[in-house]
Amino acid sequence: MNEVKSNAMSMVIDMEGEPLILHPIRLRDYENALGLRRRAQEDFSDLDPGSQSQLIYGRPGNNGQLLFANMTLHAPSGLPIVLMERFEGLTSAVDCKGDDGAMSLTFSSKGAYEYALRIWGYINEDDDKQFLLIANHDGCGPSDERQPYKVSSVTEDAADLTIKMRTQVTEWSEVAGSYELDFGRSIPQSKKLRPRGFWGDIANVGKDVLDAAQGDFDETKSVTFGVNVGKSGEKTNIYTDEKGRFSIDCIDCYVAGSWQVQGHIVVENFVLQDLTLAASPSNFKAKLELEATVTASKSPATLQNSKELFSAPIPGAGIAVTGIFKLGATVSYEVGTSATFAGTATAQFGLEAGLPNDAKVVADINNPTSSSATGWQGSSLTPNFQVTKLDASITLAAFSQPKLAFGVELVKVGNVDVAVTMKLPEISSTLSATYDPKGVCPSSTSKTGVKLENKATESLSLQIDLDLGDDNKKPSWSKTLLEYSQPLGDACFPLNIPGLGPADSSSTAAPPSGTSGTSPATCSPPGKTGICQKTSTSCAGGAYISGYCPGDDSIKCCPNAPKPSTTPPKTCAPPGKTGICQQTSTACPGGAYISGYCPGDDSVKCCPNAASASTPAPQTCAPPGKTGACQKTSETCAGGAYIGGYCPGDDSVKCCPKPTTPVGT
């Protein structure tokens, strides 16, 4: 039997994968649109420095939706937060580009001016006191971004109701060390919240947002990333045997649909504490249709092969908040095959698999046991089989494996990669040329034909890779979230197979590896050799090893039994004994094993010879003024009391002095 293997190959499609930059959404507009505050309200408490602040980001996405990220920023040590967009309604002018290097705020009322001066004036009392001002105003920092400033002093201009601030432009990487961030939620774009300088300036934003907020306001939809790779009807060679015996082509392989993604991130002092991603398919399907052509002798051969048809970033499938985080996505599509074949055959086989829209996979980097996959058992499977030529037998297994990988980059924290691999599914088919004088197939009188037996196995696995620097030692991990099989039903194809009779029907069929009638396939797991056989039979070499044999899970690698050792055992010589070193799992003829006289771990100890165990040569001992012999304290000492400290071994062996001869005898 020959085994044919090939290394996986990749064909990368050049696509742009830059994420969509989410821009600041004014918090007052957001709250007004949700009906959380009255627009005419004048609230001086918006000027108060606080321990945390909510920051909303958004941008129009696909399907008329507005992509959202909701961030709660916790104040760095000694820097309480003031959010300018909260109190902008109390000002008549904001100047971030003063000639004297100061920022100036002109208030529209004396009450607001005096309140701000009183609540901020504490920083003038000590050179070390500051607060963090986050600006979202034209001229304050880069366009379409929030800009943090450290404010170290304030001065007053009562005549103009103006406060001037001594400020220092600050990077987000300095102050965004602790936050919670939810991303992936969206609302319909018709709810016109206004990000500064983006998708048009709404002149009457107050009225527009309030009007837009009337009616239902859906904030529960996830961001949707389209996943469409491959083309229907495009032919790609998966494998061609170098001897020209076997070839297999993908004649219709593609992935289509989309995924909805949500996420939650917790960072404390620039250390990632939690990241959870939830992804659900939306009208997602994968089609796998292969054509196998066999021209071989009657003796069976096997192959195992996989090929990555494409791998590329998903166009536009990513979001980013400048200076905080970035989410990107990549899709790859791998097709794998294995086969045992004999004779000649031409067959098309495969299926189309669809995932239910209510399926969901959750990845929790902190807790693999909390990561889960639900709703996948409702997958739809539509098999496709066509046999045009076959005069022996062929066992085919193939899988369609899309992989969706999300990469999360956290500024000054590190990177997290979350990969969801879906085997959709692995299909295993056995086609056998058959002769039956009464008719092979129920629907035909043909005495020859091809019988098909097949099943499908689906699986979903999750892999988390972390690169978080030396301060965060969270381990990477992987986990299979689900795996299950289901029958696809049997089929029969009436074919005119010249020369096939009762003898040919039974002798030309190539049985699966591990059954009688053919030499079993060999396998080579690391450091071992073995044969592929049915797991229902006993394995002489111990436990079966998965992943090294073609076919389904009923066929695995049975390692060859180790040959008996011809090396003589190592001898050992504890005090007064001789013996051999051997595994403590075997019986010791000489009684109890003795530690410390054999190389290796505690599973190998000295087994004293039976003779030396029963008649050991006594060892002499000489305590002061006496002579004697070392012996077990469990035996009677003819010389009276045992004397400790003069014999080797533990307290069970002591010196028994010789008896003293009485005077006068």
Side-chain angles (χ1 to χ4, degrees):
M1 179 177 293
N2 298 314
E3 186 174 5
V4 184
K5 293 186 178 180
S6 173
N7 293 328
M9 301 174 62
S10 64
M11 180 174 63
V12 178
I13 299 174
D14 185 15
M15 297 188 205
E16 293 297 325
E18 290 300 317
L20 294 173
I21 304 298
L22 303 187
H23 297 285
I25 299 292
R26 284 188 170 91
L27 195 58
R28 290 180 65 93
D29 295 344
Y30 177 79
E31 292 174 338
N32 286 330
L34 292 175
L36 300 179
R37 67 188 298 166
R38 295 177 57 189
R39 186 168 298 276
Q41 183 179 2
E42 188 178 57
D43 189 354
F44 293 165
S45 66
D46 288 337
L47 296 160
D48 293 350
S51 61
Q52 65 183 42
S53 185
Q54 184 181 19
L55 305 176
I56 305 295
Y57 295 85
R59 176 166 177 159
N62 298 325
N63 305 318
Q65 291 184 341
L66 180 64
L67 312 185
F68 259 107
N70 186 352
M71 177 179 181
T72 300
L73 176 67
H74 295 274
S77 177
L79 280 176
I81 302 171
V82 177
L83 190 61
M84 182 184 290
E85 59 204 68
R86 273 201 172 277
F87 67 76
E88 272 185 313
L90 302 176
T91 63
S92 58
V94 175
D95 183 6
C96 295
K97 296 183 278 190
D99 295 335
D100 54 0
M103 179 188 298
S104 64
L105 304 175
T106 301
F107 289 87
S108 55
S109 72
K110 184 178 180 180
Y113 164 77
E114 291 177 344
Y115 187 93
L117 193 62
R118 177 173 57 83
I119 203 68
W120 295 342
Y122 76 97
I123 62 175
N124 293 335
E125 300 171 2
D126 190 330
D127 291 340
D128 294 332
K129 290 185 177 180
Q130 297 177 321
F131 65 81
L132 185 67
L133 177 67
I134 300 176
N136 176 24
H137 190 88
D138 292 332
C140 299
S143 177
D144 300 324
E145 294 180 20
R146 286 187 173 97
Q147 176 63 60
Y149 297 87
K150 290 181 180 177
V151 182
S152 56
S153 67
V154 294
T155 57
E156 57 183 297
D157 183 350
D160 294 332
L161 301 181
T162 297
I163 293 178
K164 290 187 177 182
M165 299 176 166
R166 177 64 58 187
T167 62
Q168 178 186 349
V169 174
T170 305
E171 298 296 328
W172 281 111
S173 58
E174 295 182 40
V175 295
S178 298
Y179 58 86
E180 293 95 40
L181 179 68
D182 292 285
F183 60 88
R185 293 189 176 276
S186 63
I187 63 171
Q189 187 178 330
S190 60
K191 314 304 186 188
K192 294 183 180 178
L193 304 181
R194 180 179 64 161
R196 172 167 58 91
F198 190 75
W199 87 77
D201 183 23
I202 304 172
N204 298 310
V205 63
K207 181 177 184 302
D208 289 347
V209 175
L210 187 61
D211 292 342
Q214 304 304 315
D216 294 334
F217 196 82
D218 184 1
E219 201 190 1
T220 62
K221 295 180 180 178
S222 304
V223 174
T224 301
F225 296 149
V227 181
N228 297 282
V229 286
K231 294 181 180 179
S232 178
E234 190 174 79
K235 187 173 183 178
T236 303
N237 179 254
I238 302 300
Y239 177 78
T240 299
D241 177 22
E242 61 184 9
K243 297 181 180 180
R245 301 171 302 170
F246 184 88
S247 68
I248 190 162
D249 297 293
C250 201
I251 58 176
D252 200 3
C253 301
Y254 64 89
V255 177
S258 58
W259 281 77
Q260 298 174 338
V261 182
Q262 293 178 323
H264 176 70
I265 298 171
V266 178
V267 173
E268 293 181 6
N269 296 321
F270 296 103
V271 176
L272 180 63
Q273 300 297 328
D274 185 29
L275 190 152
T276 304
L277 279 182
S280 299
S282 178
N283 301 322
F284 185 84
K285 65 180 180 179
K287 187 170 184 180
L288 172 70
E289 188 170 344
L290 304 173
E291 182 177 69
T293 303
V294 181
T295 305
S297 64
K298 297 289 184 177
S299 60
T302 65
L303 72 86
Q304 286 182 290
N305 180 69
S306 64
K307 183 171 183 175
E308 187 175 79
L309 296 187
F310 29 74
S311 175
I314 303 173
I319 56 176
V321 174
T322 303
I324 306 295
F325 99 111
K326 182 188 296 184
L327 167 71
T330 299
V331 65
S332 62
Y333 187 43
E334 182 181 8
V335 172
T337 59
S338 62
T340 301
F341 53 90
T344 61
T346 301
Q348 293 180 7
F349 69 105
L351 54 79
E352 183 176 297
L355 299 181
N357 288 343
D358 58 355
K360 187 176 185 179
V361 57
V362 176
D364 184 342
I365 68 162
N366 277 336
N367 193 354
T369 59
S370 295
S371 300
S372 62
T374 57
W376 297 78
Q377 283 76 3
S379 302
S380 63
L381 301 175
T382 306
N384 174 40
F385 300 98
Q386 293 293 328
V387 180
T388 56
K389 181 181 180 181
L390 192 143
D391 69 358
S393 74
I394 179 170
T395 299
L396 298 168
F399 63 82
S400 168
Q401 186 163 277
K403 180 178 179 181
L404 192 61
F406 300 98
V408 180
E409 178 183 333
L410 305 173
V411 173
K412 205 177 176 179
V413 176
N415 301 319
V416 179
D417 293 322
V418 179
V420 181
T421 302
M422 301 154 279
K423 189 168 281 188
L424 294 175
E426 179 171 6
I427 180 171
S428 178
S429 305
T430 300
L431 299 99
S432 301
T434 306
Y435 172 85
D436 190 332
K438 298 180 180 180
V440 173
C441 303
S443 60
S444 173
T445 59
S446 175
K447 298 180 181 181
T448 59
V450 176
K451 287 189 174 181
L452 167 69
E453 299 177 359
N454 54 61
K455 70 173 185 177
T457 301
E458 292 192 55
S459 65
L460 182 75
S461 61
L462 186 65
Q463 180 172 331
I464 309 292
D465 293 311
L466 304 172
D467 181 12
L468 301 173
D470 296 336
D471 294 334
N472 197 334
K473 298 296 185 180
K474 291 182 183 297
S476 300
W477 55 269
S478 60
K479 178 184 179 182
T480 298
L481 297 181
L482 65 85
E483 187 170 20
Y484 64 96
S485 299
Q486 58 179 304
L488 289 178
D490 301 335
C492 187
F493 303 92
L495 288 178
N496 181 21
I497 305 176
L500 183 65
D504 299 300
S505 176
S506 60
S507 63
T508 60
S513 302
T515 62
S516 60
T518 182
S519 300
T522 60
C523 49
S524 300
K528 300 178 184 289
T529 59
I531 59 172
C532 297
Q533 65 182 40
K534 291 279 189 180
T535 55
S536 56
T537 60
S538 175
C539 176
Y544 281 99
I545 303 174
S546 302
Y548 295 92
C549 292
D552 57 24
D553 286 344
S554 66
I555 300 176
K556 294 183 179 180
C557 182
C558 172
N560 295 324
K563 295 181 180 179
S565 174
T566 58
T567 305
K570 183 176 179 64
T571 60
C572 50
K577 303 177 186 290
T578 59
I580 58 172
C581 296
Q582 66 180 38
Q583 294 282 337
T584 56
S585 57
T586 59
C588 177
Y593 280 99
I594 302 174
S595 301
Y597 295 92
C598 291
D601 57 23
D602 286 344
S603 65
V604 179
K605 295 183 179 180
C606 182
C607 172
N609 296 325
S612 67
S614 59
T615 57
Q619 182 170 340
T620 61
C621 51
K626 300 178 184 289
T627 60
C630 295
Q631 66 181 45
K632 291 280 189 180
T633 56
S634 58
E635 302 172 4
T636 301
C637 177
Y642 281 101
I643 302 173
Y646 295 92
C647 292
D650 56 23
D651 287 343
S652 66
V653 178
K654 294 183 179 180
C655 183
C656 174
K658 291 181 179 181
T660 304
T661 303
V663 177
T665 60

mmCIF file of all heavy atoms in Angstrom, residues 90 169 172 201 208 237 289 419 437 461 496 501 574:
data_model
loop_
_atom_site.group_PDB
_atom_site.id
_atom_site.type_symbol
_atom_site.label_atom_id
_atom_site.label_comp_id
_atom_site.label_asym_id
_atom_site.label_seq_id
_atom_site.Cartn_x
_atom_site.Cartn_y
_atom_site.Cartn_z
ATOM 1 N N LEU A 90 -22.695 75.364 27.889
ATOM 2 C CA LEU A 90 -22.574 76.471 28.827
ATOM 3 C C LEU A 90 -21.613 77.546 28.329
ATOM 4 O O LEU A 90 -21.453 78.578 28.978
ATOM 5 C CB LEU A 90 -22.075 75.944 30.186
ATOM 6 C CG LEU A 90 -22.936 74.865 30.860
ATOM 7 C CD1 LEU A 90 -22.255 74.387 32.144
ATOM 8 C CD2 LEU A 90 -24.338 75.387 31.163
ATOM 9 N N VAL A 169 -0.791 69.207 25.889
ATOM 10 C CA VAL A 169 -1.353 68.142 25.043
ATOM 11 C C VAL A 169 -0.805 66.797 25.505
ATOM 12 O O VAL A 169 0.401 66.647 25.726
ATOM 13 C CB VAL A 169 -1.016 68.383 23.560
ATOM 14 C CG1 VAL A 169 -1.474 67.206 22.710
ATOM 15 C CG2 VAL A 169 -1.641 69.672 23.073
ATOM 16 N N TRP A 172 -3.051 59.567 24.310
ATOM 17 C CA TRP A 172 -3.941 58.592 24.926
ATOM 18 C C TRP A 172 -3.152 57.467 25.593
ATOM 19 O O TRP A 172 -3.587 56.887 26.594
ATOM 20 C CB TRP A 172 -4.902 58.020 23.890
ATOM 21 C CG TRP A 172 -6.050 58.919 23.574
ATOM 22 C CD1 TRP A 172 -6.280 59.586 22.417
ATOM 23 C CD2 TRP A 172 -7.129 59.251 24.442
ATOM 24 N NE1 TRP A 172 -7.428 60.333 22.504
ATOM 25 C CE2 TRP A 172 -7.978 60.136 23.739
ATOM 26 C CE3 TRP A 172 -7.468 58.899 25.748
ATOM 27 C CZ2 TRP A 172 -9.135 60.658 24.299
ATOM 28 C CZ3 TRP A 172 -8.632 59.424 26.303
ATOM 29 C CH2 TRP A 172 -9.445 60.295 25.581
ATOM 30 N N ASP A 201 -22.278 68.397 8.383
ATOM 31 C CA ASP A 201 -22.549 69.224 9.543
ATOM 32 C C ASP A 201 -24.052 69.459 9.616
ATOM 33 O O ASP A 201 -24.664 69.972 8.692
ATOM 34 C CB ASP A 201 -21.792 70.559 9.413
ATOM 35 C CG ASP A 201 -21.982 71.422 10.646
ATOM 36 O OD1 ASP A 201 -22.297 70.875 11.710
ATOM 37 O OD2 ASP A 201 -21.820 72.649 10.519
ATOM 38 N N ASP A 208 -32.824 68.071 15.263
ATOM 39 C CA ASP A 208 -32.759 66.872 14.428
ATOM 40 C C ASP A 208 -32.624 65.608 15.269
ATOM 41 O O ASP A 208 -33.278 64.604 15.023
ATOM 42 C CB ASP A 208 -31.591 66.956 13.441
ATOM 43 C CG ASP A 208 -31.853 67.977 12.343
ATOM 44 O OD1 ASP A 208 -33.010 68.420 12.209
ATOM 45 O OD2 ASP A 208 -30.904 68.307 11.627
ATOM 46 N N ASN A 237 -7.233 22.739 -8.594
ATOM 47 C CA ASN A 237 -6.681 21.429 -8.281
ATOM 48 C C ASN A 237 -6.240 21.379 -6.829
ATOM 49 O O ASN A 237 -5.509 22.239 -6.354
ATOM 50 C CB ASN A 237 -5.494 21.110 -9.196
ATOM 51 C CG ASN A 237 -4.874 19.751 -8.874
ATOM 52 O OD1 ASN A 237 -3.802 19.664 -8.305
ATOM 53 N ND2 ASN A 237 -5.573 18.692 -9.225
ATOM 54 N N GLU A 289 -17.550 21.037 -3.376
ATOM 55 C CA GLU A 289 -17.869 20.067 -4.414
ATOM 56 C C GLU A 289 -16.566 19.676 -5.106
ATOM 57 O O GLU A 289 -15.868 20.518 -5.676
ATOM 58 C CB GLU A 289 -18.866 20.629 -5.424
ATOM 59 C CG GLU A 289 -19.351 19.575 -6.397
ATOM 60 C CD GLU A 289 -20.523 20.057 -7.251
ATOM 61 O OE1 GLU A 289 -21.148 21.075 -6.877
ATOM 62 O OE2 GLU A 289 -20.792 19.433 -8.271
ATOM 63 N N ALA A 419 -9.194 32.987 16.951
ATOM 64 C CA ALA A 419 -9.466 32.279 15.701
ATOM 65 C C ALA A 419 -10.566 31.253 15.931
ATOM 66 O O ALA A 419 -10.484 30.424 16.838
ATOM 67 C CB ALA A 419 -8.209 31.597 15.180
ATOM 68 N N PRO A 437 -26.888 -10.420 -8.792
ATOM 69 C CA PRO A 437 -27.699 -10.963 -9.908
ATOM 70 C C PRO A 437 -29.157 -10.530 -9.850
ATOM 71 O O PRO A 437 -29.860 -10.540 -10.863
ATOM 72 C CB PRO A 437 -27.536 -12.478 -9.748
ATOM 73 C CG PRO A 437 -27.140 -12.686 -8.318
ATOM 74 C CD PRO A 437 -26.325 -11.479 -7.954
ATOM 75 N N SER A 461 -13.681 24.745 16.684
ATOM 76 C CA SER A 461 -12.601 24.920 17.646
ATOM 77 C C SER A 461 -12.250 26.390 17.783
ATOM 78 O O SER A 461 -12.521 27.199 16.887
ATOM 79 C CB SER A 461 -11.361 24.118 17.239
ATOM 80 O OG SER A 461 -10.878 24.547 15.981
ATOM 81 N N ASN A 496 -23.082 0.211 -15.708
ATOM 82 C CA ASN A 496 -22.614 -0.950 -16.452
ATOM 83 C C ASN A 496 -21.107 -1.059 -16.270
ATOM 84 O O ASN A 496 -20.344 -0.240 -16.784
ATOM 85 C CB ASN A 496 -22.972 -0.819 -17.937
ATOM 86 C CG ASN A 496 -22.505 -2.031 -18.730
ATOM 87 O OD1 ASN A 496 -22.284 -3.105 -18.162
ATOM 88 N ND2 ASN A 496 -22.358 -1.867 -20.037
ATOM 89 N N GLY A 501 -18.145 -9.499 -11.914
ATOM 90 C CA GLY A 501 -18.985 -10.611 -11.532
ATOM 91 C C GLY A 501 -18.895 -10.843 -10.051
ATOM 92 O O GLY A 501 -18.309 -10.041 -9.316
ATOM 93 N N PRO A 574 22.673 -3.695 48.008
ATOM 94 C CA PRO A 574 22.486 -3.047 49.305
ATOM 95 C C PRO A 574 23.232 -3.844 50.378
ATOM 96 O O PRO A 574 23.665 -4.975 50.135
ATOM 97 C CB PRO A 574 20.971 -3.099 49.501
ATOM 98 C CG PRO A 574 20.511 -4.230 48.655
ATOM 99 C CD PRO A 574 21.445 -4.301 47.488
#
